[in-house]
Structures are given as C-alpha cells and as structure tokens.
C-alpha cells in the first residue's frame, strides 16, 4: 500500500502537540515557569528551530524543545541527533535544551544519550562526542570547532528517546488530567477527560497556526484544566464528537467507576496490542449500554474512530455497518446500500484492518450471541466492546465483565436525580430513599420505572413509603412468576405499571377501550421488539372470531381497528407514561389512507416483553388472545406478500418468527397456530432458509400427530398433513444439499400423500390439482428425472401421480404454472419470443390471483424475453420495478439470483459480442444487476454456479474500466471444460465462450495499456 504522506505528516504534528501539552502539564505547579510558546512564539529568535519552549516571568527561555516524529520502526542515529541539537543550541539561549523523538535508537545514539546525561565537564564532553561521532567525519569536525559557549550549552542538552505511541501518551495525559482535577476537587474528572484532552489538543493546534496567539500562560492553562464540571457535563450531553459513527445512547449522569475501571484495564494502551475484546453482560435495563457510552466519553481521546453498532438484529447490525463503511470510505450511504451482509462485513473488516489510527467498535444490544462471531473484526489496531444479555456465552477471547446492580450510593444518587430533589429534601428523606432503592434491588430500570410511576400517579416523596409497602407486597405475591435471573423488584415494578394502566382506564365507559392498553401491551410481548404495528397488536383484542374464520376476510389484507372501536394512540399514550413502549419507525408501506394511524408502530424493551409474558401467561383468555394474534400475524404476513409489498412482508416475518418461537415454548396448538407455522415455513423456504423451513414443517407435523383430527371449512388435518409431506419432499427434490430430509422419509411421505390426494380428488378435484402441480413440475426437472431413473419406488410414485393428475381438471393456478413452464421452454429453445412475452404479460395481469412472488417471477422472465427481443429500455424498466419492490430485504432469493444469472449472461454476451448500442445498454444493466444487495449465489449452491457469478463480475469490471480487478476475478474462474453442454438456444453463448471472449478483451486492453494480467501469463 502506498505511503499516505499527508497522513504521516498529520500524525507527526499530533505527536508534537501531545508532547507539548505533556511538557506544560508536567510543570503545571512549577513556579519558575510562566508560559508555553508553541512553535517558538511571535517574533522569537530560533522560530524555525524551536517547536515549543517554556519561559519564565521575564520571558527568558527555561526550556527549548525540538520534537522529531518518525514512522513506527524508524531509527535515529547519534549523528542526526547531534545535528538537531547543535542547530537548537546555536539558535537560542536557554537553561535547558531537549530533543524529543519517538524513533528507535540508531548507531551511537545510546552513547550520546548517556554522555549528555552523565557529563557536565566541557572538555570531557567534547572528547566523548568525538568518540561517539568518529564514524561521521563532518559531525566530528563540528565538535572540534565548537566554541566554549556552545559546548557549555551542550552540557545542558538532553536527548529523550520516547518509545510510547500516541495512544499511550494520550492515556498518560488523560490520567494526569483526572489526577489534577481530583486534587482540585473538580467533578466529572473520570467522565470528561477524553473531551477535555481533545479540546486542549485543538487549542494547541490553533496556537500553532496563529503566531499572535502562540503564547499560553500557565495560569490560562490551569483555568482550562479546571473548567467547571457542569460546563463539561453540558458539553458531553450535546456535543457531536465528530469521530463517533452511530447513535450513542445518552451518557449516564450517575458514574459507575468499578465497571469503567475494568474496561480501562482491558483496553489499557499498548504498543503491541492487536484487537482486544470486552463484553458487558447482564440483563436488560441493568446499564450495559449506558456504561459502554460512559467508556466512550471517558476514553474518546484514545481513538481516531469510534463506531457504535446496533446489534439487536441482523438488519440493524447491517444498517449500522453501512454507516460505518460510508464514514471510513468517505462516500454516501446510498452508494453502499446494495452490499450483501457478507460483502458488507468483509468490507468493514478490510477497512478496519488497514485503518491508520486506533479504533473502537461497540456492538450494542446483542441478542443472539452465536450469530455475532463472524461480525467481530480480528485484525487491526482497535478494541471491540460488546453489550449482551447472554452471560453464559463467551465471545471468543473477550474479557467478560458482568454488569450487576448499582451500589447503594449510585442507586440513591439516581433516585434523587430522577425525583429532582433539592438538597434539603434529600437530607430529610435519605433514609426513605435508601429503603426505596433497596426494595427496587438497586437496578437502574427498576428505579427508572418506579420514579415514572411516582410521577405518573402524582405521589410526593413524603408519601413514597405507601408505594414502597405496596411494591413489597407485589414482589412477594409475584414470586412464582419471575423469570430465572431477574430481580423480583423489577418484575413488581413492571406489574405495578400495568396495574396502574388498568386503574387509569377503569372508569372508561367503553369496555374495549378500557382493555386496549393492556391487550396491546400483552400482544406486543410475543412479537419482535421493534416496529410492532399497533393495529396488529390491538387486533388480538378487537378481531371477532367469526371474521377471522371468514375466508374473504383472511385474504382481504391487514385488519385495522376503527376509531369507533378504540383510539389506539390514546392506548399507546397510557403505556408510554410508564416507559413500557415507545413509538418506532412507521411501516414500510403506507396505510394511513385506510385509517389515520394505520402505519404507526411501537417498540418494547425486551426485558419488559420477557416479564409480561411470564406475568400474563396463566391469565384467562391468553390462549384466545394468542390464537387471534397468530391468525392476524399470518394474515398481515401472507396478504402483504401476496399484494407484492415485499418489504412489509419481510418485517411481518420477523414478528411471525418471534411469535412462533414464543408459542412453541408454551406448547400451544390450534388450527390457526398451525397455519401460521406452515405459512412461515413457506416464507423461510422462499428466503432460502431451507433448514428453518424443514424444522417448522416437522414441528407442525408432530403437533398434528398428537392432536385430534380436525375437518371443517377452516381446517382439514389430513389436507394440511399432505401439504407438509409434499413440501418436505419438494425440499429433498429441489434442495438436497441444503436439507436433512432423506429419501427414506420421502418415499413413505409421497405414498401417504398419494392416498390422501386420491381421496381429495373425489371431494375437491381443484384442490388436489393445485397441491399436486408443484410436485409434478419438480419431478419433471433434471433432479426429479434423475431420481425417477435411479429409484424404482420414486418412478412408480411418479407414474401414479401422473395418472391421477391426468384425470383432474385444470385450474387457474395449474394453468399459471403451465404458462411458466411454457415460457421457460421458449427461452431455452428460442422458438417464439413473442409468445413468451404474451404469456409473461398474461401472468402479470393475473397478479391479484397469483400473488406478489409469482408476479415478480413473471417479470423476471419478461426481462429475459425483452433482452432476446433487443428491447433494452423495456427490460431496464422491468428490472427497476422488481428492484423497487424487493428493496434491500433478503426476500425471494431464487427470483433475484435467477435474474442475475440468466439476465446477466444475456447482458454479458451482448456486451462482448453485440452491436455498439446493445453493448452500452447491456453493460449498464449488468452493472445494475451486480449492485443488488443479493448479487451473490444462494448459500449451498454449487461451485460452478458461484464461478459463473464471478465471471459476470469480471465482465462488469471490464465494462467499467476496472481492468486489474476484472483480471483478478477472471484468474479465479477455471476455464470451462471443452465438453460443456451448449445451450439449446443458439441465441445464447456457452459459458466457455464468455470466458474466452473476456480473456480476449483483456488481452486487447493489455496490448493498449502495456499492462500484464494474471490470465495472460
């Protein structure tokens, strides 16, 4: 990597100004020192030789200093050091002279340092210098010619070889600042050192640039060091530090020095330190994130870059890392939004590994510890701080620091601040405050909730003992409902808030409005913690069972609670009064045209969710509420996907995932719950999560085996079982390498399904046809044909299914699947592209019936057809429609990957082989394709498939003038075999031909640019 001269120079000045500050701080109590002058001061002699000096009351130089910074590992010889000192002592008269350098001692340097420190006799020093500099004749000659006055000054000179790096100097300065402020009895010393040091460094820089302001008196320096604590606190509260990327939580106003000290020990500055990791672990609301923020405030001066990453979920983590990458590279976030999570992770790790300064990255609110490992940077000069709930898991070699309850003094201080008590009130109620914090277990969240309750209920401090007594009763009464590891006082505080919500609405004339806040809160405890649609949560109370059983209602789309039933914003307001919820980002799809607050969502703290689930799980009506919530979640998820609202469907899938997990943990079952399990499994399969889909279907099937069979208009146990067995069998046929399903399971499943289908054909022939058509198509695919050829039982079953299907009437759904097969055949053979376009547009016109995924698949095929017809503008328009619909979500990976693969091949061929106009259009569309967030093969696909993607990326680099990058990618793609089957469609080149033409294009460019490429060696 080329040397960045500007950055090297900047770091040299940084070292100089750090040592300048250190020199004055070391002499802060030295009465003989009156001022410091940066860069020699205004009008001073030796201005080009002196980096800084310390002067006395009369302006006389007490110490003149030259600072020389070197790159790590560089050396300085005795000859070079002597020359620098000679210039300094000749230029100015001072009581002391110093050469300070971070270079390692070179030839003769140690002898020079020793001589200057030990010898004060002029003649003896001259002889020693001559001996040390014998190998440098010109320097020895200068020693011989030195006047007595100069050699006398030399006796007062010293060389200081400082082996510390900038981090260690900053650490020493910050520690010294804190010691000085503590000795002066100024507050906020621990918290403010980083900010104060940053200000002092910037002040020195300003004085270096302004000759008129170069002088800083010792008294002025003392005043800066002792800036009032409240001023620093205000600065910390509102300051945008500039080096922090990400949203840092508020810095706590109650310090917890024990935790910060342990972090300081783990991250103590060290020259040889690589990446070090610490994990703050403990329950929600215990103060992990706030203590991480306190460390950032305390040690901000030690880092060149601080990154705060919200690690609650993969989506928040990737969003934060996109911001980090944009900051490091100095580009807009929009330009990196399309990177896949793996690409994003690798890019951030690469940038951190080569980052010139020291960095800190905070992974905040980690919920699944095992998923974090791959995201942790392993190389570079930096520290990693993790906050997580999981105290049982080690994060690699991380130092684990438990965050436990506050000390007595810390808890009392927090309570006093939240109650806004005067000194007089505090003194007269100190005993009561101690009783309250002890009853609350000295947990920060419990204290926050308790004070919120007191504020909300208007309880004055002198009546708090009533609250304390009731809280104790609650804690004892709820003892059996407390989750393992949670303090009872925390659960009691939350339970009391819920009780008060109920009390506030007790006189509400409208019964459902009275129940709305608690029902909304209870339902929200079972979903994901972010972006919970308020109408989804409230629907668990307001939806009527007869509506939920109505097929037309279930397919109509999300259900909304009308204002005549309840005012949900008022319900949310009641919950917000006790910090139980807060408003979150609106839904990614606009519903406000249907109802004013249709897009509003809330967020709930995960500890509140955990506690509420335990508190409410035994209440009467919980099964019915969860049953309705499962039905509504299923409706929201499936209807949004059917309507083509892909991003909303993805959000709803996160709520379905949490709900499925929580319901499964309670071992609840009903037809509505099983439908949610099955549809969520389909969504997982369509997202490429085949193992997750398989596990859900197996769970659903095991539950069906344990309950009484059901057969009515809403649910048919035999039909659902048949669907599951066919779905699991299709996983094996289509995705053998990414599933645990075996052929020994598939055969009896298909045998059972055949018998069920034969019975279903007599009652509902249309339903039988729709269930069997995907199986028929899968068995006609190459993988299915291979199974038929090599397995006699599969072949027999295929014949039986084919015979049954031949006797069933076609349906609109089966006709659509046949149309898809016909389009694929036209594309493969190149016979009739106009017919293929007609069929694509026919399917798109059936979007309301087929649903969003099928519509987008039809549009994907339409793009291929339009390219064959050389209608590039129309193809680009269809591509953009798909891209807008799917966005950055990981939904529909098959459609996206097949589009990139097939359309990419056509674009690559047109670019390399087509006319100039086609080539330009093709290059642009290929670039658009490969900047998708999902421009990467699905996990588990073959090496050949991965190599094709890499070949397309190489061609894209070539088209965009990135010749070296394209050559590097092509060098990793093995030359396709000569016997590769040629496409049945003569309009398409083989992948071997694409490889050859790419190599030829690189050869032509190499000839013109005189560059050597890997593939041409």
């Amino acid at each position: 990597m080329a040397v960045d001269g500007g950055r090297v120079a900047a770091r040299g000045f940084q070292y100089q100004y750090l040592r300048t500050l250190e020199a004055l701080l070391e002499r802060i109590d030295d009465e003989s020192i009156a001022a410091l002058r940066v860069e020699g001061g205004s009008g001073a002699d030796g201005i080009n030789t002196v980096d800084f000096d310390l002067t006395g009351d009369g302006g006389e130089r007490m110490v003149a200093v030259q600072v020389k910074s070197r790159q790590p590992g560089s050396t300085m010889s005795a000859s070079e050091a002597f020359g620098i000192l000679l210039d300094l002592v000749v230029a100015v008269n001072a009581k002391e002279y110093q050469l300070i350098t971070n270079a390692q001692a070179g030839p003769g340097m140690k002898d020079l340092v020793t001589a200057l420190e030990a010898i004060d006799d002029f003649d003896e020093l001259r002889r020693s210098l001559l001996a040390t500099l014998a190998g440098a004749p010109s320097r020895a000659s200068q020693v011989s010619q030195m006047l007595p006055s100069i050699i006398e000054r030399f006796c007062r000179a010293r060389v200081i070889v400082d082996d510390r790096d900038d981090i260690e100097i900053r650490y020493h300065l910050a520690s010294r600042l804190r010691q000085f402020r503590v000795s002066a009895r100024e507050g906020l010393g621990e918290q403010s050192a980083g900010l104060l040091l940053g200000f002092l460094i910037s002040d020195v820089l300003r004085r270096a640039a302004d000759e008129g302001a170069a002088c800083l008196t010792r008294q002025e320096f003392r005043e800066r060091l002792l800036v009032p604590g409240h001023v620093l606190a205000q600065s910390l509260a509102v300051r945008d530090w500039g080096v922090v990327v990400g949203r840092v939580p508020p810095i706590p106003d109650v310090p917890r020095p024990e935790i910060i000290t342990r972090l300081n020990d783990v991250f103590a500055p060290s020259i040889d330190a690589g990446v070090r990791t610490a994990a703050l672990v403990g329950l929600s609301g215990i103060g992990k994130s706030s203590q991480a923020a306190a460390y950032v405030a305390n040690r901000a001066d030690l880092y060149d870059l601080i990154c705060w990453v919200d690690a609650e979920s993969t989506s928040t983590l990737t969003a934060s890392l996109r911001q980090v990458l944009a900051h490091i590279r100095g580009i807009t976030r929009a330009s990196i939004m399309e990177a896949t999570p793996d690409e994003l992770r690798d890019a951030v790790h690469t940038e951190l590994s080569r980052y010139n300064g020291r960095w800190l990255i905070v992974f905040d609110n980690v919920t699944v510890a095992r998923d974090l490992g791959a995201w942790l940077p392993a190389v570079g000069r930096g520290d990693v701080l993790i906050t997580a709930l999981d105290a049982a898991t080690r994060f690699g070699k991380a130092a684990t620091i438990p965050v436990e309850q506050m000390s007595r003094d810390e808890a009392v201080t927090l309570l006093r601040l939240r109650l806004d008590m005067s000194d007089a009130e505090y003194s007269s109620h100190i005993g009561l405050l101690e009783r309250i914090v002890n009853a609350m277990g000295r947990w920060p969240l419990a204290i926050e909730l308790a004070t919120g309750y007191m504020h909300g209920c208007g309880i004055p401090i002198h009546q708090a003992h009533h609250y304390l007594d009731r809280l104790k009763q609650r804690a004892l009464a709820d003892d059996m409902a407390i989750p393992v590891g949670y303090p009872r006082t925390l659960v009691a505080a939350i339970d009391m808030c819920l009780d008060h919500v109920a009390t506030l609405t007790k006189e509400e004339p409208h019964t459902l409005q009275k129940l709305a806040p608690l029902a909304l809160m209870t339902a929200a405890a079972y979903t994901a913690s972010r972006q919970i649609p308020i109408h989804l949560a409230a629907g668990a109370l307001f939806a009527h069972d007869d509506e939920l059983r109505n097929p037309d209602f279930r397919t109509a789309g999300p259900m909304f609670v009308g204002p005549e039933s309840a005012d949900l914003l008022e319900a949310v307001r009641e919950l917000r009064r006790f910090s139980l919820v807060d408003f979150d980002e609106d839904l990614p799809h606009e519903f406000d045209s249907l109802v004013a607050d249709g897009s509003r969502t809330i967020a709930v703290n995960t500890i509140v969710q955990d506690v509420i689930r335990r508190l409410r799980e035994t209440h009467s009506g919980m099964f019915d509420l969860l049953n309705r919530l499962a039905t509504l979640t299923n409706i929201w998820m499936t209807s949004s996907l059917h309507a083509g609202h892909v991003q909303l469907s993805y959000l709803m899938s996160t709520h379905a995932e949490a709900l499925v997990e929580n319901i499964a943990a309670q071992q609840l079952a009903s037809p509505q719950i099983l439908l949610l399990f099955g549809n969520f499994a389909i969504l997982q399969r369509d997202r490429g999560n085949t193992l997750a889909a398989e596990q859900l279907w197996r769970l659903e099937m095991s539950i069906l085996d344990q309950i009484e069979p059901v057969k009515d208009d809403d649910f048919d146990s035999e039909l659902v079982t048949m669907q599951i067995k066919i779905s699991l069998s299709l996983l094996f046929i289509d995705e053998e390498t990414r599933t645990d399903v075996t052929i020994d399971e598939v055969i009896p499943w298909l045998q059972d399904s055949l018998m069920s289908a034969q019975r279903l054909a007599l009652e509902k022939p249309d339903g039988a046809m729709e269930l069997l058509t995907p199986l028929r198509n899968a068995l006609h695919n190459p993988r299915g044909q291979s199974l038929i050829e090599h397995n006699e039982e599969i072949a027999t079953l295929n014949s039986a299914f084919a015979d049954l299907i031949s006797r069933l009437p076609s349906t609109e759904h089966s006709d659509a699947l046949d149309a898809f097969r016909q389009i694929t055949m036209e594309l493969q053979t190149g016979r009739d592209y106009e017919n293929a376009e007609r069929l694509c547009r026919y399917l798109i016109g059936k979007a309301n019936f087929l649903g969003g995924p099928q519509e987008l698949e039809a549009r994907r095929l339409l793009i291929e057809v339009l390219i064959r017809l050389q209608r590039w503008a129309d193809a680009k328009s269809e591509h953009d429609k798909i891209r807008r619909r799917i966005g950055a979500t990981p939904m529909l990976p098959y459609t996206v990957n097949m589009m990139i693969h097939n359309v990419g091949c056509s674009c690559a061929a047109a670019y390399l082989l087509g006319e100039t106009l086609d080539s330009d259009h093709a290059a642009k569309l290929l670039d658009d394709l490969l900047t998708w967030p999902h421009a990467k093969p699905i996990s588990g696909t073959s090496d050949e498939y991965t190599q094709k993607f890499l070949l397309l990326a190489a061609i894209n680099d070539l088209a965009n003038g990135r010749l070296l990058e394209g050559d590097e990618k092509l060098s990793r793609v093995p030359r396709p075999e000569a016997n590769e089957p040629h496409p049945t469609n003569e309009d398409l080149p083989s992948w071997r031909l694409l490889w050859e033409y790419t190599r030829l294009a690189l050869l032509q460019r190499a000839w013109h640019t005189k560059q050597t490429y890997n593939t041409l060696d």
Side-chain angles (χ1 to χ4, degrees):
M1 187 173 63
V3 175
D4 188 340
R7 195 175 297 278
V8 170
R11 296 188 71 82
F13 282 118
Q14 178 176 247
Y15 176 75
Q16 174 183 327
Y17 296 145
L18 286 170
R19 288 309 310 254
T20 301
L21 273 178
E22 191 173 43
L24 185 54
L25 189 56
E26 296 274 344
R27 307 262 189 134
I28 191 67
D29 295 318
D30 187 347
E31 297 293 338
S32 68
I33 301 299
L36 172 141
R37 295 189 301 188
V38 185
E39 301 290 357
S42 176
D45 55 338
I47 193 168
N48 293 320
T49 307
V50 179
D51 285 329
F52 71 88
D53 56 19
L54 302 174
T55 63
D57 290 332
E60 70 277 19
R61 277 195 178 91
M62 306 301 293
V63 185
V65 183
Q66 175 73 225
V67 181
K68 292 297 181 183
S69 174
R70 292 288 188 271
Q71 286 276 64
S74 300
T75 62
M76 179 180 287
S77 67
S79 174
E80 183 180 5
F82 171 82
I84 295 169
L85 278 176
L86 181 61
D87 291 341
L88 186 61
V89 300
V90 169
V92 298
N93 183 23
K95 288 190 175 182
E96 296 176 35
Y97 301 88
Q98 293 180 359
L99 165 60
I100 301 175
T101 181
N102 61 356
Q104 297 180 10
M109 178 63 114
K110 291 183 180 179
D111 293 337
L112 177 63
V113 172
T114 301
L116 292 175
E117 289 179 348
I119 302 173
D120 56 9
D121 178 83
F122 301 168
D123 294 334
E124 185 180 352
L125 179 59
R126 191 189 298 270
R127 288 192 296 272
S128 179
L129 290 175
L130 286 171
T132 300
L133 299 171
S138 61
R139 294 301 188 195
S141 175
Q142 290 177 318
V143 173
S144 300
Q145 298 174 21
M146 286 171 63
L147 297 173
S149 59
I150 300 301
I151 194 70
E152 184 269 340
R153 291 182 182 181
F154 238 91
C155 286
R156 304 196 299 272
R158 299 289 183 270
V159 176
I160 300 173
V161 178
D162 183 6
D163 61 358
R164 300 172 300 167
D165 65 4
D166 294 353
I167 300 295
E168 292 174 287
I169 297 173
R170 286 173 177 266
Y171 181 84
H172 175 263
L173 280 170
S175 299
R176 184 71 180 84
L177 285 173
R178 285 188 289 275
Q179 293 170 6
F180 179 79
R181 288 178 61 84
V182 168
S183 66
R185 304 196 176 201
E186 277 292 339
L188 298 178
E190 280 293 316
Q191 186 173 320
S192 61
L195 182 60
L196 182 57
L197 181 55
F199 164 73
L200 293 173
I201 292 172
S202 66
D203 188 48
V204 171
L205 178 62
R206 177 182 64 83
R207 293 176 183 279
D210 185 354
E211 183 177 345
C215 184
L216 174 64
T217 69
R218 188 166 59 91
Q219 183 58 36
E220 289 173 335
F221 190 56
R222 289 182 67 90
E223 292 172 359
R224 282 163 171 72
L225 295 182
L226 297 177
V227 60
H230 70 275
V231 175
L232 281 175
Q234 292 171 357
S235 298
L236 286 167
V238 301
R239 180 180 172 86
D240 180 0
W241 297 329
V243 295
V244 178
V245 181
R247 186 175 181 179
V248 180
I251 298 166
D253 43 13
V254 177
R256 301 176 70 177
E258 181 179 355
I259 297 171
I260 299 303
T261 298
R262 294 191 63 181
L263 285 173
N264 290 341
D265 292 341
V266 174
F267 297 145
S270 172
I271 294 176
D272 298 326
V275 176
R276 299 168 300 185
T277 306
L280 297 177
V281 298
L283 299 173
S284 294
I286 201 64
K288 303 182 298 296
S289 298
S290 63
Q291 291 311 298
Y295 175 79
V296 168
N298 185 33
R299 288 291 187 265
D301 54 290
L302 300 184
Y303 301 97
D304 297 283
L305 174 68
I306 298 171
C307 309
W308 193 279
V309 175
D310 181 356
E312 181 182 6
S313 66
T314 300
S315 59
T316 60
L317 187 147
T318 54
S320 296
L321 288 180
R322 292 185 202 281
Q323 187 179 6
V324 169
L325 187 59
H327 175 86
I328 295 176
R329 290 183 173 175
I331 57 179
T332 61
R333 293 182 65 190
S335 62
I336 60 171
M337 283 300 294
E338 308 302 340
T340 66
D342 288 347
E343 291 168 343
L344 177 65
R345 177 197 63 211
D346 294 344
V348 171
H349 287 184
T350 298
E351 294 297 338
L352 291 178
S353 70
R354 64 189 181 191
Y355 193 80
N356 282 325
R358 191 156 191 86
W359 46 263
L360 168 69
I361 184 166
V362 181
F363 289 93
D364 184 39
N365 198 21
V366 175
T367 53
V368 182
R370 65 178 179 274
D371 293 344
L372 183 66
W375 295 92
L376 298 179
V379 180
R381 297 181 68 247
D383 299 324
V384 176
L385 179 54
I386 300 166
T387 73
L389 291 171
D390 193 344
T393 299
R394 292 194 61 83
F395 296 86
K397 297 180 180 179
T400 301
I401 302 174
V403 181
E404 300 174 343
Q405 63 188 50
M406 302 178 97
S407 69
R408 173 264 181 199
D409 290 341
E410 292 166 354
V412 169
T413 300
L414 176 60
L415 182 60
R416 177 187 177 183
L417 288 172
R418 294 297 176 266
L419 294 177
D420 195 22
M421 299 177 66
S422 66
D423 290 343
E425 289 175 319
Y426 174 72
S427 299
S428 60
H429 295 99
I430 181 63
L432 179 57
L433 295 180
E434 290 180 358
R435 289 175 61 194
I436 292 175
V437 298
N438 288 333
M440 305 305 299
R442 303 202 300 271
W443 289 72
L445 179 57
I447 295 171
E448 297 280 4
L449 288 170
T451 53
Y453 179 85
M454 293 174 68
H455 280 300
C457 297
I459 300 174
I461 185 60
H462 65 273
Q463 294 181 355
H465 61 282
H466 298 299
Y467 173 78
L468 179 62
D469 293 338
R470 190 177 181 197
L471 179 59
K472 287 182 177 179
Q473 294 169 11
R474 287 284 189 177
L476 293 175
D478 292 333
D479 186 65
M480 297 303 295
I482 300 171
V484 175
Y486 282 94
R488 64 186 60 187
T489 49
L490 181 57
V491 177
I494 295 175
D495 192 29
M496 287 199 64
C497 289
L498 295 174
D499 185 66
H500 190 62
V501 169
T503 301
L504 290 176
T505 57
K506 189 172 293 183
E507 302 303 323
E508 174 65 44
H510 196 304
T511 303
L512 291 181
Q513 179 67 50
K514 177 181 73 173
L515 298 176
L518 285 180
L520 192 153
M521 186 73 250
T522 302
Y526 285 84
T527 65
S529 66
R530 295 290 309 276
Q531 283 187 279
I532 307 166
I534 61 175
H535 285 268
L536 169 67
L541 170 68
F542 289 93
H544 298 294
D545 291 338
D546 56 344
E547 290 180 321
L548 298 180
R549 286 193 294 267
N550 186 333
D552 294 334
F553 177 87
R554 292 203 300 264
T555 59
M559 175 211 150
F560 299 95
V561 178
E564 70 282 357
S565 300
D567 190 322
L568 298 188
L569 295 183
E570 288 188 3
V572 173
R573 182 186 64 182
E574 294 304 320
L575 299 173
R576 293 183 68 204
R577 290 180 63 181
F578 301 97
S579 301
L580 292 170
V581 305
D582 203 353
F583 284 113
D584 206 347
E585 298 177 34
D586 285 354
L587 294 173
H589 183 74
E590 180 66 54
F591 287 117
D592 290 350
S593 60
L594 300 176
V595 60
D597 51 9
S599 300
R600 301 301 298 272
T601 73
I602 56 174
V604 185
N605 187 291
T606 53
I607 190 175
V608 175
Q609 289 182 306
D610 292 342
V611 171
I612 290 175
R613 286 198 298 272
R614 290 301 184 96
L615 289 172
R616 313 300 276 187
E617 66 182 357
T618 58
H619 283 213
S620 62
M622 276 304 303
F623 177 81
D624 291 337
L625 184 141
L626 290 176
N627 204 39
R628 288 192 292 271
L629 182 61
T631 304
L632 290 168
T633 303
N634 190 29
I635 290 171
W636 276 71
M637 178 180 68
T638 56
S639 65
S640 57
L641 186 59
H642 185 87
H645 303 149
V646 180
Q647 297 177 57
L648 175 61
S649 181
Y650 174 66
L651 172 63
M652 295 312 305
S653 73
T654 66
H655 295 302
E657 184 173 15
L659 183 58
V660 165
E661 181 180 346
N662 288 319
I663 288 177
Q666 295 188 28
Q667 298 182 331
L668 303 178
S670 73
Q672 290 73 25
I673 288 172
L674 291 175
L675 286 175
L676 173 64
F677 282 19
N679 284 325
F680 183 59
I682 293 172
L683 197 64
Q684 290 284 60
R685 179 204 63 194
D686 291 344
R687 286 168 53 181
N689 301 329
T690 53
L691 284 176
E694 177 189 335
Q695 291 169 1
L696 278 169
W697 275 320
R698 288 184 184 275
L699 174 62
E700 188 181 6
M701 192 159 54
S702 69
I703 294 173
L704 283 167
D705 289 339
Q706 299 171 27
I707 64 175
E708 291 292 327
V710 177
K711 184 170 184 177
D712 54 34
D713 292 339
D714 297 325
F715 193 85
D716 185 329
S717 297
E718 182 183 12
L719 181 59
V720 172
T721 301
M722 174 184 168
Q723 288 177 307
I724 295 171
K725 290 178 177 179
I726 290 177
S727 296
L728 287 168
S729 299
L730 288 174
L731 282 185
F732 177 79
I733 296 172
D734 294 333
E735 309 279 359
E736 182 189 11
T737 60
R738 297 192 295 137
T739 179
D740 292 332
V741 175
T742 66
I743 187 66
D744 292 336
E745 293 176 305
V746 168
I747 291 172
W749 285 341
L750 291 181
Q751 290 170 342
D752 293 344
S753 297
L754 177 61
M755 289 188 291
S756 296
Q758 289 168 340
R759 287 193 292 271
L760 180 63
L762 299 175
E763 301 174 8
K764 296 179 180 179
D766 289 355
M769 185 65 175
E770 292 197 7
L771 281 173
L772 295 178
T773 300
L775 179 61
R776 178 199 63 184
N777 292 347
L779 289 171
H780 284 179
N781 288 335
R783 164 72 180 154
Q785 289 295 300
S786 176
L787 285 172
I788 293 170
E789 291 174 10
H790 295 90
N791 190 293
E792 185 177 344
E793 290 179 289
I794 293 292
T796 301
L797 285 166
N798 176 61
S799 298
F801 279 119
D803 177 67
L804 177 59
I805 291 173
S806 69
R807 292 183 279 108
L808 292 173
S810 65
T811 66
E812 197 168 8
H813 181 73
S814 65
D815 288 344
L817 293 180
D818 287 341
F820 276 113
R821 290 181 61 205
Q822 182 65 30
I823 295 168
T824 302
M825 186 177 300
E826 300 288 9
L827 286 168
Q828 289 174 345
T829 61
R831 293 183 309 189
D832 190 347
Y833 291 143
E834 286 77 9
N835 182 50
E837 180 184 2
R838 181 187 62 77
L839 289 172
C840 287
R841 297 196 182 280
Y842 159 77
L843 291 171
I844 293 171
K846 293 283 186 179
N848 289 337
F849 169 74
L850 294 175
Q854 298 281 46
E855 178 207 348
L856 293 175
E857 177 66 8
R859 291 188 184 278
R860 190 268 296 181
L861 292 169
L862 179 59
I863 295 173
E864 294 187 45
V865 172
L866 292 171
I867 289 176
R868 308 290 174 82
L869 294 171
Q870 296 184 322
R871 288 160 54 185
W872 291 97
D874 292 340
K876 177 67 166 58
S877 175
E878 290 297 332
H879 162 271
D880 292 346
K881 289 176 184 177
I882 296 180
R883 187 160 181 164
R884 282 193 301 270
R885 295 270 288 279
I886 296 179
T889 70
M891 300 286 282
L892 308 179
Y894 174 83
T895 294
V896 174
N897 275 267
M898 289 303 295
M899 179 173 64
I900 293 171
H901 179 277
N902 294 355
V903 176
C905 176
S906 297
C907 290
Y911 168 71
L912 292 170
L913 309 173
E915 300 294 333
T916 301
L917 183 60
D918 286 350
S919 179
D920 291 343
H921 285 302
K924 178 64 174 67
L925 184 52
L926 179 62
D927 189 62
D928 287 345
L929 285 168
L930 294 178
T931 55
W932 267 66
H934 313 291
K936 192 173 184 179
I938 301 173
S939 175
T941 50
S942 67
D943 290 340
E944 179 186 0
Y945 199 59
T946 302
Q947 289 161 10
K948 290 177 178 179
F949 268 68
L950 193 58
L951 177 57
L952 292 178
I955 297 170
N956 188 47
D957 283 337
L958 177 65
N960 285 279
R962 299 186 293 268
L963 306 183
L964 292 176
E965 292 90 335
D967 176 66
E968 188 276 330
K969 290 184 176 70
L970 186 62
S971 69
R972 291 190 279 134
V973 181
R975 183 180 185 181
E977 298 295 334
N979 60 356
E980 176 201 6
H982 195 281
T984 55
N985 183 349
E986 295 183 358
D987 292 346
L988 288 178
S990 67
W991 285 96
R992 176 185 172 88
L993 187 61
L994 286 179
W995 192 95
E996 295 286 4
Y997 269 90
T998 305
R999 183 174 180 273
L1000 178 61
L1002 281 168
L1003 179 62
Q1004 293 172 332
R1005 303 292 176 87
W1007 177 263
H1008 290 295
T1009 61
K1010 309 301 182 185
Q1011 295 189 44
T1012 301
Y1013 297 130
N1014 296 322
T1015 52
L1016 308 181
D1017 293 342

Coordinates of all heavy atoms in Angstrom, one line a residue, residues 309 339 424 559 880 894 921 981:
V309 N -22.5 0.3 16.9 CA -23.3 -0.6 16.1 C -24.5 -1.1 16.8 O -24.3 -1.7 17.9 CB -22.4 -1.7 15.5 CG1 -23.3 -2.7 14.7 CG2 -21.3 -1.1 14.7
A339 N -24.8 -3.6 -0.9 CA -23.9 -4.7 -0.5 C -24.6 -5.7 0.4 O -25.5 -5.4 1.2 CB -22.7 -4.1 0.4
A424 N -32.2 20.1 50.6 CA -33.0 20.0 51.8 C -33.9 18.7 51.8 O -33.9 18.0 52.8 CB -33.8 21.2 52.0
M559 N -55.9 -6.2 9.0 CA -57.1 -5.7 9.7 C -56.7 -4.5 10.5 O -55.6 -4.4 11.1 CB -57.6 -6.8 10.6 CG -58.8 -6.3 11.5 SD -58.8 -7.1 13.1 CE -59.6 -5.8 14.0
D880 N -36.1 -2.4 -12.9 CA -36.2 -1.4 -11.9 C -37.5 -1.6 -11.0 O -37.5 -1.3 -9.8 CB -36.3 0.0 -12.5 CG -34.9 0.4 -13.1 OD1 -33.9 -0.3 -12.8 OD2 -34.9 1.4 -13.9
Y894 N -34.5 -16.8 -4.9 CA -34.5 -17.5 -6.1 C -34.7 -16.6 -7.3 O -34.0 -16.6 -8.3 CB -35.5 -18.6 -6.1 CG -35.7 -19.4 -7.4 CD1 -34.8 -20.4 -7.7 CD2 -36.6 -19.0 -8.3 CE1 -34.9 -21.1 -8.9 CE2 -36.7 -19.7 -9.5 CZ -35.8 -20.7 -9.8 OH -35.9 -21.4 -11.0
H921 N -26.1 -0.6 -23.6 CA -27.3 -1.0 -22.8 C -27.0 -2.2 -21.9 O -27.3 -2.2 -20.7 CB -28.5 -1.3 -23.7 CG -29.1 -0.1 -24.3 ND1 -29.6 1.0 -23.5 CD2 -29.3 0.3 -25.6 CE1 -30.1 1.9 -24.4 NE2 -30.0 1.5 -25.6
P981 N -21.9 -28.7 -22.1 CA -23.1 -28.7 -23.0 C -23.5 -27.3 -23.5 O -23.5 -26.4 -22.7 CB -24.2 -29.3 -22.1 CG -23.7 -29.3 -20.7 CD -22.2 -29.2 -20.7

